[in-house]
Amino acid sequence: MANPVAKRSFRLRLHVLGSKLHKWLAAFVGLQVLLWMATGALMSFLDLEEVRSEHVISRAAQTLPDDAAIPRWLSDSDDITAITTRVLDGKTVTEVRRADGAVSLHEPQSGRILSPIPAATARSIARRAWVGPQTSIHAARLVDESVGTEFRGPFPAWQITYNDVANTRVYVDASSGAVLSARSDTWRFFDFIWGLHIMDWTQRDRINSWWLLLFGIGGTIIAISGFVLLANRFPRTKRRARHGQVAR
């Protein structure tokens, strides 16, 4: 028959071990929770434009000077910011960028306009850009408005969908032929949980919402109060140990 005293002693040791483990894990994990909550609340106070210095720094491109060498077929050159000759889908093209952000592609010699690019060219660009496991292109469609949270321009753009496992979609600028962004089921899942994390369920890019700020402050108070309770527990444990020795 098992000794009741030994059984109680084992349970007591197990309880003490579990209590110590819980206490120290709470201190270790709670510190990170405190940092997460405090930094989250602090980021909610900061203006994202000021963080990026967009309120004091202009990124507007300069227009080309009057004496710059430009192709003869460019009659209207007052607002041109850049002229680039590059390769697009295996062919040489001249890209012209203007101050208002407009982009156009031309044949280098004749100046014949090549943009917006057709679906066949967009498909070819997407095939060249693909470096994953062998796959094919499922569909291509022209978009001129935001596609949920996964693509917000510039427009118009070609949405090219691959036949891969992750259902990858790539967006190709119809004006310049540039690959703008690539999205997959993995990105969509991450975007969803990111929205939950920053408490922005629609745009996924607002870290200054009152919801996030209030919950961040509340979580910080909870974490700090937890450390206060944890600190108060240490002296009581020591006092109980001393009282036990005196009683003996």
Side-chain angles (χ1 to χ4, degrees):
M1 187 174 180
N3 189 344
V5 176
K7 191 174 182 179
R8 284 196 300 271
S9 178
F10 173 76
R11 288 180 178 177
L12 180 60
R13 289 197 300 269
L14 188 62
H15 174 78
V16 172
L17 177 62
S19 178
K20 290 182 178 179
L21 184 63
H22 175 80
K23 180 169 58 181
W24 289 110
L25 278 177
F28 179 74
V29 177
L31 179 61
Q32 182 56 43
V33 172
L34 173 62
L35 291 174
W36 182 76
M37 290 294 183
T39 53
L42 180 60
M43 286 190 294
S44 297
F45 274 112
L46 300 176
D47 187 343
L48 196 57
E49 288 190 357
E50 291 189 12
V51 172
R52 294 173 176 172
S53 297
E54 293 178 356
H55 64 303
V56 294
I57 299 297
S58 173
R59 293 174 175 80
Q62 294 181 324
T63 57
L64 294 177
D66 295 335
D67 59 348
I70 60 175
R72 294 180 179 178
W73 43 262
L74 268 176
S75 57
D76 181 14
S77 59
D78 293 338
D79 62 343
I80 293 177
T81 60
I83 300 174
T84 307
T85 299
R86 60 184 178 87
V87 176
L88 176 68
D89 194 30
K91 300 176 182 178
T92 303
V93 298
T94 296
E95 178 186 282
V96 178
R97 291 184 174 270
R98 299 185 180 274
D100 61 357
V103 181
S104 58
L105 298 176
H106 304 260
E107 283 188 347
Q109 287 76 29
S110 67
R112 182 173 68 90
I113 191 164
L114 303 174
S115 56
I117 61 174
T121 302
R123 284 172 174 264
S124 182
I125 292 172
R127 279 192 291 267
R128 288 175 180 272
W130 182 261
V131 294
Q134 186 174 359
T135 187
S136 59
I137 291 177
H138 172 67
R141 73 181 183 98
L142 192 64
V143 295
D144 54 10
E145 60 182 7
S146 296
V147 182
T149 60
E150 72 176 42
F151 183 70
R152 297 171 180 170
F155 302 107
W158 286 101
Q159 180 197 76
I160 312 296
T161 305
Y162 297 96
N163 271 321
D164 64 316
V165 176
N167 191 30
T168 304
R169 289 202 290 251
V170 69
Y171 292 88
V172 179
D173 191 339
S175 299
S176 66
V179 177
L180 300 173
S181 59
R183 300 291 185 254
S184 66
D185 288 343
T186 303
W187 182 91
R188 294 176 195 106
F189 174 70
F190 177 86
D191 183 56
F192 172 72
I193 61 177
W194 170 250
L196 295 179
H197 179 74
I198 65 172
M199 303 185 75
D200 182 6
W201 303 280
T202 56
Q203 301 299 316
R204 310 281 206 271
D205 59 0
R206 295 174 296 185
I207 62 170
N208 301 91
S209 67
W210 281 104
W211 282 110
L212 183 61
L213 178 59
L214 291 176
F215 275 80
I217 294 175
T220 302
I221 295 174
I222 291 173
I224 293 175
S225 61
F227 277 109
V228 172
L229 295 174
L230 185 64
N232 290 335
R233 184 173 181 181
F234 284 100
R236 285 202 302 270
T237 304
K238 293 179 180 179
R239 284 198 299 269
R240 287 172 184 170
R242 286 197 297 268
H243 289 326
Q245 291 177 358
V246 172
R248 291 176 187 174

